[in-house]
Each structure stands twice: as structure tokens, then as C-alpha cells.
Amino acid sequence: MKTAESATGALHAPNRFVDVGNRRLAYRSIGAGKPIVLCNRFRGNLDAWDPAFLDALAANDFRVITFDYRGLGLSTGEKTYDPFALAEDARDLIDALDLQGAVIGGWSVGGMAAQVVVALYPQKVSHAVLIGTTPPGPNVKPAEQLFYDTAAIPDYGFEHEVILFFEPRSARSREAARRSAERIAQRTEARSVPVPADWAASILGTRPKSPLFPADALLEALKVTDIPLLHVGGDHDIIFPVENWYALNQQLPTLQLLTFPRAGHGPQHEHPEACAAHIATFVRTTA
């Protein structure tokens, strides 16, 4: 039997709160089934996710949980983009909601946090879904300066979103960006609070870093994990090039790679139903 929560779509999911430690985490939950907890991108809040992607996951028998990191959006606490602190937020939310056998997911910096969860709290999760993110350790391909120049713009508009999350050279990708932006804009009530742009820019810096995720010990942990990992990426991700995952071929024993052509940093917004279906198949067929 469907509950009111499971029947609610992403556009109308209510904001909920849980007190953990010295902070209150804001979250939303839709669907029923295996829980998947999604860690957000840089400058993302509860409203940064494409509702079509979340609804497609729910249609594939997931309970989909999104949340605001500590001190950001509607959550309280000291704000940070330290992946280890963000992983604590995910862990504490999993514990507070008593989620058993959860999938940990993450987009961009959220994908870094998800990898930390796999390494430090493996008993909490069954699978990891990493979207548009980077592996820890050395890189074979750096980020592009264009991302740093664009992501730091205080009030970026549609054309900036195309640069950041899609493939501007592809007419199909640009059209997908337009549709995604329209879907996200449909939620007009009970929205989260934007991430402070000046603070985020100070964390980001102005130039590409190498490595992008300096955590060699974490890389070593991923080399021996038995938790299935899936990375979903675009073939032209200007901040976290997918080539850095392929460079780890035969080093990460549980890693599967799904790469969409003519796509960028947000493949789940360009291909929401396909991404959700791939994720569902991955979770169902790996253990």
C-alpha cells in the first residue's frame, strides 16, 4: 500500500527535518523501496535536482532521499564543502532515518562525499552511484578553466548552466538543458535557500587543481572495497573529466562506468529516465 510520502512526486515533496548532533538537516523523501541517499553538487540545494530524475528513480522502486548539507540551504550548522564532513551528514541522515541497505549516491562534490562513505562507513551502504565526479588521487586529465570562470558567477543564468552541466556544442544537449531548467523551475513553494555565492567561490578557487581530489588513502580503500560502484558521466565534463575514471581500469575491482556521448557534468539531467533505469539495473544485478 502506498503511503502519502511514497505517492508524492519530487515537485511537491515536503521539506522534512532531523536533528543530528549539533545541527538540523533538511531533507525530502519520495517513493518506496530500496533507499537511495543523494549528496548534492557544488552550490546545490534541495531544489538543484531535476524532478524528472528523482521521479524516475522512484518509479524504479527506490525511496529517494535528497538533503541540504550542514549550514547550507535549509540545514543548520557550520557550512563546509569538505567531503569528509559531507559524508558525515549522509551517514547521520542514514542513521536518523534508520535506512537499511541504502545506496549512497552523489553528484560532483557529492560524489566525493559518497566515496568517503564507501571507504569509512561501508556497513551503512550496499552500493554507490557516483555522478559527474572525480576519483581520488592523481589525474590524467585536468579540469578546464572555463568551469572555474563560470561556476563562480554569483547569479548565473541558463547559458551558464548549459556550460556547467551540459554540452554547449550539441543542439540536443542544449535542448535537454532547456527542458531540465523548465522542470526544476516548476517548484515555486517551500523552496530551499541558495548557497552563498561569494562563500562558494572562495572555496572553489580560481584555477584548476591537481589532483582534483587529493585523497590517496581513499583511493587505496576503493581498490579493495567489495561495494559495487557505478560512475555515470558525460564524455565532456569540464570539471571532472571522465577520462580520470577510465585511467583506473583494472584497479577498482567493483567499478562500472556509464558514459553518455555529447554530454557534460549533469548527465542525469540530460537523460533522467535512462540514468534512473541504468542505476536500477546496476543495483538489482550487483551485490
Side-chain angles (χ1 to χ4, degrees):
M1 183 176 67
K2 284 189 174 182
T3 65
E5 181 179 270
S6 66
T8 301
L11 281 175
H12 303 290
N15 298 324
R16 302 178 185 275
F17 301 88
V18 62
D19 292 315
V20 290
N22 59 351
R23 63 202 188 284
R24 171 170 286 190
L25 297 179
Y27 74 97
R28 295 174 188 161
S29 176
I30 64 169
K34 188 173 182 64
I36 181 169
V37 177
L38 298 175
C39 305
N40 219 328
R41 64 167 171 84
F42 176 76
R43 286 185 68 176
N45 62 15
L46 282 165
D47 298 308
W49 295 100
D50 190 324
F53 173 60
L54 303 182
D55 287 343
L57 285 173
N60 277 279
D61 300 320
F62 285 105
R63 179 186 176 188
V64 186
I65 298 161
T66 55
F67 68 100
D68 281 338
Y69 297 128
R70 64 181 69 184
L72 299 175
L74 298 173
S75 293
T76 67
E78 185 176 352
K79 57 185 177 291
T80 179
Y81 271 135
D82 175 7
F84 289 85
L86 307 184
E88 288 181 356
D89 287 346
R91 178 205 61 189
D92 290 349
L93 185 61
I94 288 171
D95 286 345
L97 299 181
D98 193 25
L99 303 178
Q100 303 299 316
V103 177
I104 186 68
W107 177 20
S108 190
V109 68
M112 297 182 189
Q115 293 171 70
V116 175
V117 171
V118 169
L120 298 187
Y121 317 117
Q123 72 279 7
K124 303 292 183 183
V125 297
S126 67
H127 299 73
V129 175
L130 314 172
I131 304 172
T133 190
T134 186
N139 306 128
V140 299
K141 186 173 182 179
E144 297 181 24
Q145 182 63 43
L146 179 60
F147 179 87
Y148 291 81
D149 294 342
T150 308
I153 295 173
D155 296 310
Y156 54 66
F158 173 72
E159 288 299 326
H160 302 120
E161 292 183 354
V162 172
I163 291 171
L164 291 171
F165 308 122
F166 296 84
E167 174 49 271
R169 297 174 296 184
S170 166
R172 288 186 178 182
S173 187
R174 293 183 65 87
E175 175 60 20
R178 182 191 63 77
R179 293 194 301 267
S180 179
E182 290 177 350
R183 291 189 295 263
I184 292 172
Q186 286 177 11
R187 184 173 180 120
T188 58
E189 297 182 355
R191 291 181 64 88
S192 187
V193 178
V195 172
D198 54 349
W199 172 81
S202 70
I203 299 297
L204 179 65
T206 60
R207 297 288 180 185
K209 305 175 179 68
S210 184
L212 296 165
F213 187 14
D216 289 347
L218 184 59
L219 178 59
E220 295 306 310
L222 298 183
K223 289 180 178 180
V224 297
T225 187
D226 59 2
I227 294 175
L229 309 175
L230 171 67
H231 182 264
V232 182
D235 65 354
H236 185 203
D237 188 327
I238 64 173
I239 177 59
F240 294 139
V242 72
E243 288 87 346
N244 292 316
W245 286 103
Y246 284 95
L248 293 172
N249 183 43
Q250 297 188 349
Q251 296 185 56
L252 303 183
T254 66
L255 176 66
Q256 296 185 28
L257 298 174
L258 171 63
T259 304
F260 286 92
R262 296 177 298 281
H265 188 48
Q268 80 283 12
H269 287 198
E270 183 162 353
H271 304 282
E273 292 82 10
C275 281
H278 279 289
I279 291 167
T281 299
F282 163 73
V283 171
R284 187 177 65 252
T285 58
T286 58

